Amino acid sequence: MIDWLNNFIDSALLIDAGRRIILSLILLAIMLGLSRWQHTDLEGSFIYGFIRGLVQIVLLGFILVIIFSLQSLLLLYIILSLMIVFAAASTRRTHKYPKVFEIELAGIAVASYTIMTIVIVLGIIPVKGEYVIPLGGMVISNSMALSLIAMERIYSDLEHKKGMVEAAIALGATPRKAMNSIIRDAIRASLLPSTNRMAILGIVSIPGLMSGMIIGGMNPIIAAIYQIIIFLMIISSGFIADIIVSYYIIKIVFDPNGALKPDYSIE
Amino acid sequence: MEEKSLFILKNIKVKIKNRIILDNISINLKKNNITGVIGPSGSGKSTLLKVLSFLLTPYSGEITYKGIALKDYNPQKYRKTVSYVQQRPYLFPKTVRDNLLYGPKLWGIKYNEEELYALLDLVNLDPVFLDREVINLSEGEKQRINIARSLANKPEVLLLDEPTSALDLLSTEIIENLILKLKKQDLKIIVVTHNLEQTKRISDEVLVLNAGRILDHISIDEFLHSRSDEEIRLYFKKQSSNGGNQND
């Protein structure tokens, strides 16, 4: 692996990449010129952002070189697990719902492990870091994003339709039954944008994964197939995460006797 | 004496966000009569109904229904039997028929068209209402469907939370007549109300609450004779300094 890294550093590729970076500094110069001309006072931010971003992304590149060379399934799952924990933890900063970390961790973990295990076991993607990690990353980040949409929608609908939910409970409905329409609407709201994006694939958009693979030299047909696979992975994992999240929310807002807790709160 | 009791509440305490809403309440409620629950806003009347309907679990204390502790009932089946009707009619955004059949579908109770018409007739509504969208109903009609929806579950007890508070005189009269009619059908009815005249018209007994405690559980006549006019006005007063709330 280290040999491979050394070869990579010595390779013509790196020299070529350096040349491109230096040439692209012209764009930075244009940005600085425009900022000075328009008195936006952004020159410092541009330079700081460029240098910091360059260092971070190059460091990430080196880490990815090591990760992509991994072929041990156990190690790959350990890395995926860390990504899942980081994704769930990041929701705590942006969303103040009760037990958001636990809910997201459960949703993302069940969804991602299930979908990644299916695609690996069935041989849909190779057991190689360069496939498992980036595709796993997409599955994890989308499971997080989609289930957060569902969570937001469930809580906001519950606020508006609390009276109706209580009416259903008073008639003898279980919490799941009383929340049926709210959960259905939330899952639809979270999945429909991705489903629509999948439906316009190739006509209106060439998404990031496919573009990246083509730029990286992959045959466009193969890249297209991976693109549709990733859409299926994203939507199916999002669906699973939505279901886990919605069940977990029911546990939080209803008491063990199936009545809405009077003191559940969204701060 | 306990044999005739439908509900027995022992030392019921309800605490929400560290605020005591019901404070050590103990009562026996008998079958086949109408109990009016009265008291100023914020005294715990609606909370008491929610506790009786198992929509709120008390912080401490014990409740039995027909001699069996509430915790030993299946909560869903219990709520079908002891039916809570909310103050505001939160109908499902569909037709009247869908609303009336929501409970029966949960419980496998079959209704034919005639039985549905009879249900509508009970709340003084014409059969043409059956396939109307609820969005097109007046407040009075919605409240009547709200009650009919609970009755469709064939409950033994009806818990009504200020059923006429937002209604005109005609709708109020229809609902009061319905309550009296249901009493004759052996239904136990507990009504939270702010209306003195209504309490006199429909209640056999009153449960007087103040600041989460029971002041009296006596017949309406005894209550009216034992209290000054000023006190009576206080118990039926709608607004209080805390403005009342849904945990009332």
Side-chain angles (χ1 to χ4, degrees):
Chain A
M1 186 176 73
I2 299 301
D3 288 346
W4 192 88
L5 193 61
N6 286 334
N7 287 340
F8 175 76
I9 291 168
D10 290 340
S11 72
L13 271 176
L14 195 61
I15 296 163
D16 187 48
R19 184 179 63 86
R20 286 172 201 277
I21 281 287
I22 291 165
L23 285 175
S24 66
L25 287 177
I26 291 170
L27 299 179
L28 181 64
I30 292 173
M31 286 155 65
L32 295 175
L34 288 174
S35 175
R36 179 158 286 197
W37 177 39
Q38 291 294 314
H39 304 288
T40 49
D41 201 21
L42 286 170
E43 296 94 308
S45 303
F46 284 155
I47 293 169
Y48 173 76
F50 172 75
I51 293 171
R52 186 178 163 166
L54 181 67
V55 171
Q56 284 172 187
I57 206 82
V58 168
L59 278 177
L60 175 72
F62 279 111
I63 293 168
L64 287 179
V65 166
I66 296 166
I67 288 175
F68 285 1
S69 67
L70 296 176
Q71 293 191 22
S72 151
L73 202 52
L74 179 67
L75 273 176
L76 291 174
Y77 267 81
I78 289 171
I79 293 169
L80 287 180
S81 303
L82 289 173
M83 290 161 77
I84 288 169
V85 174
F86 282 128
S90 72
T91 61
R92 231 182 340 204
R93 251 185 312 114
T94 51
H95 293 76
K96 300 294 173 198
Y97 299 122
K99 295 189 177 177
V100 65
F101 172 69
E102 289 92 324
I103 299 176
E104 280 297 318
L105 185 64
I108 300 169
V110 173
S112 305
Y113 287 137
T114 306
I115 296 306
M116 290 310 290
T117 304
I118 289 173
V119 295
I120 288 170
V121 168
L122 293 180
I124 296 171
I125 64 167
V127 188
K128 287 182 180 169
E130 61 196 280
Y131 288 91
V132 174
I133 298 303
L135 294 182
M138 283 189 205
V139 165
I140 290 166
S141 62
N142 277 281
S143 298
M144 178 190 79
L146 298 188
S147 59
L148 279 175
I149 293 173
M151 189 188 295
E152 281 172 3
R153 180 70 182 255
I154 289 172
Y155 276 121
S156 102
D157 271 11
L158 187 55
E159 268 314 289
H160 295 117
K161 297 177 181 170
K162 210 170 182 175
M164 234 178 290
V165 171
E166 191 179 59
I169 295 290
L171 291 167
T174 57
R176 185 70 182 81
K177 174 81 184 162
M179 293 284 287
N180 241 354
S181 66
I182 289 179
I183 288 172
R184 186 196 58 214
D185 291 349
I187 291 177
R188 288 173 64 87
S190 109
L191 297 185
L192 273 178
S194 300
T195 311
N196 291 340
R197 269 172 53 218
M198 183 166 67
I200 58 162
L201 263 183
I203 297 174
V204 183
S205 70
I206 301 175
L209 179 108
M210 186 172 168
S211 310
M213 287 177 105
I214 294 170
I215 289 168
M218 177 78 85
N219 177 329
I221 305 292
I222 305 292
I225 286 168
Y226 270 106
Q227 185 60 64
I228 197 80
I229 290 171
I230 191 65
F231 260 107
L232 291 176
M233 289 166 73
I234 285 170
I235 297 169
S236 53
S237 63
F239 210 150
I240 294 171
D242 285 356
I243 292 168
I244 303 285
V245 162
S246 63
Y247 273 91
Y248 213 135
I249 292 175
I250 286 178
K251 289 255 173 236
I252 288 175
V253 298
F254 287 88
D255 70 16
N257 298 318
L260 264 175
K261 284 182 194 165
D263 56 352
Y264 92 83
S265 60
I266 305 160
E267 285 149 19
Chain B
M1 179 194 154
E2 293 213 343
E3 289 157 14
K4 286 184 184 174
S5 293
L6 198 58
F7 293 100
I8 299 174
L9 282 74
K10 281 184 191 156
N11 305 320
I12 292 298
K13 192 175 207 173
V14 172
K15 229 162 96 169
I16 298 173
K17 289 182 178 171
N18 288 327
R19 193 180 142 220
I20 294 172
I21 314 285
L22 291 180
D23 193 3
N24 273 323
I25 281 188
S26 296
I27 31 167
N28 287 8
L29 293 167
K30 295 187 179 66
K31 293 183 190 177
N32 307 335
N33 68 356
I34 299 176
T35 306
V37 183
I38 60 171
S41 290
S43 57
K45 304 184 296 295
S46 297
T47 303
L48 178 63
L49 284 203
K50 287 195 175 180
V51 165
L52 290 173
S53 61
F54 217 165
L55 285 170
L56 197 59
T57 308
Y59 176 73
S60 61
E62 196 186 81
I63 307 173
T64 61
Y65 174 70
K66 289 182 161 177
I68 298 168
L70 239 61
K71 59 181 168 53
D72 294 331
Y73 280 95
N74 170 303
Q76 280 79 33
K77 277 189 189 161
Y78 175 84
R79 290 184 197 117
K80 172 200 169 288
T81 310
V82 178
S83 194
Y84 171 76
V85 182
Q86 297 156 301
Q87 183 177 357
R88 278 186 60 193
Y90 291 103
L91 300 181
F92 307 120
K94 296 175 186 170
T95 64
V96 168
R97 181 194 296 272
D98 292 321
N99 274 275
L100 294 182
L101 290 177
Y102 185 90
K105 275 185 184 165
L106 291 174
W107 298 107
I109 304 170
K110 300 276 179 220
Y111 270 87
N112 59 32
E113 290 294 292
E114 280 67 36
E115 286 168 324
L116 286 171
Y117 295 158
L119 207 51
L120 284 177
D121 186 51
L122 202 59
V123 291
N124 261 38
L125 288 175
D126 198 82
V128 293
F129 276 87
L130 200 53
D131 288 308
R132 262 188 209 171
E133 295 286 333
V134 295
I135 199 162
N136 298 321
L137 303 179
S138 71
E139 275 309 299
E141 288 160 352
K142 280 182 187 168
Q143 186 60 295
R144 283 185 270 163
I145 295 299
N146 191 23
I147 297 173
R149 183 173 64 176
S150 286
L151 293 174
N153 259 349
K154 304 185 190 300
E156 294 169 1
V157 180
L158 204 56
L159 307 170
L160 299 167
D161 194 353
E162 297 198 48
T164 60
S165 64
L167 302 186
D168 57 32
L169 282 177
L170 179 67
S171 298
T172 300
E173 193 185 332
I174 290 170
I175 286 176
E176 284 181 9
N177 288 337
L178 169 68
I179 291 171
L180 293 170
K181 211 184 319 180
L182 292 172
K183 181 192 161 191
K184 285 181 191 154
Q185 294 178 8
D186 281 351
L187 227 75
K188 165 74 184 175
I189 297 169
I190 303 174
V191 194
V192 166
T193 177
H194 274 287
N195 184 326
L196 172 62
E197 293 309 314
Q198 183 173 71
T199 310
K200 285 185 197 169
R201 283 193 295 269
I202 63 173
S203 301
D204 299 306
E205 60 175 12
V206 286
L207 196 60
V208 188
L209 283 175
N210 194 20
R213 292 177 179 215
I214 291 183
L215 293 189
D216 266 325
H217 183 193
I218 50 178
S219 76
I220 179 75
D221 290 335
E222 275 179 88
F223 171 70
L224 294 173
H225 287 115
S226 63
R227 304 281 167 166
S228 68
D229 287 352
E230 198 178 331
E231 268 183 299
I232 290 169
R233 264 200 304 279
L234 173 74
Y235 294 130
F236 287 95
K237 201 173 162 192
K238 185 116 188 162
Q239 296 300 323
S240 69
S241 54
N242 68 10
N245 57 44
Q246 57 180 4
N247 296 325
D248 181 7

